[in-house]
Amino acid sequence: MAAEHGWQVLAWVGDHFQIPTVGVAVDPTHIAPDDPAVQAVVRAHRRALQVIRDDPDTTVRHTRTFLGGQTAEEARAHYETFIAPYFTTDGQADPAIGATAITAVATELGVPATVTAAEFYRAATTTPQE
């Protein structure tokens, strides 16, 4: 159907992006990264990452709700292939994988890769307060 309509098919997580995005993005022109609200989101995000890493049954159960139509076994295979090997609780991404992914997705979409992985995955200089 995509070819029939001339659409470009976007890559699925894992085709090019070897890990799902695990950070919290903040536009400092709208809110400071050290704002208490941002820090609360970062703390909640890290707790969620810990569940993803440490509680596969809960993660698989939730994965089934947004992937739709998958059996428990298929959702477990998705978790074991695309999630479990790559999630950490530090919220950091691998810039080398990001660079490859950005180039691959831009190529697939037929657009220039105008942002680098270093720009996209710029790490915060503040640590959330516990």
Side-chain angles (χ1 to χ4, degrees), residues 2-18:
E4 180 181 336
H5 294 283
W7 299 336
Q8 301 225 355
V9 179
L10 292 175
W12 178 250
V13 172
D15 291 345
H16 298 294
F17 287 100
Q18 294 183 17

Side-chain angles (χ1 to χ4, degrees), residues 18-86:
Q18 294 183 17
I19 59 169
T21 300
V22 295
V24 173
V26 175
D27 182 344
T29 63
H30 295 284
I31 188 167
D34 60 353
D35 184 280
V38 172
Q39 295 304 302
V41 169
V42 170
R43 285 191 305 275
H45 186 69
R46 287 191 174 160
R47 285 192 305 271
L49 291 172
Q50 189 169 4
V51 169
I52 290 169
R53 186 193 67 198
D54 297 342
D55 188 353
D57 293 336
T58 296
T59 304
V60 167
R61 190 173 65 251
H62 288 291
T63 300
R64 287 187 71 196
T65 66
F66 66 82
L67 287 180
Q70 288 196 328
T71 66
E73 294 77 23
E74 291 166 333
R76 172 79 54 183
H78 178 88
Y79 171 82
E80 291 173 0
T81 303
F82 299 112
I83 298 171
Y86 305 108

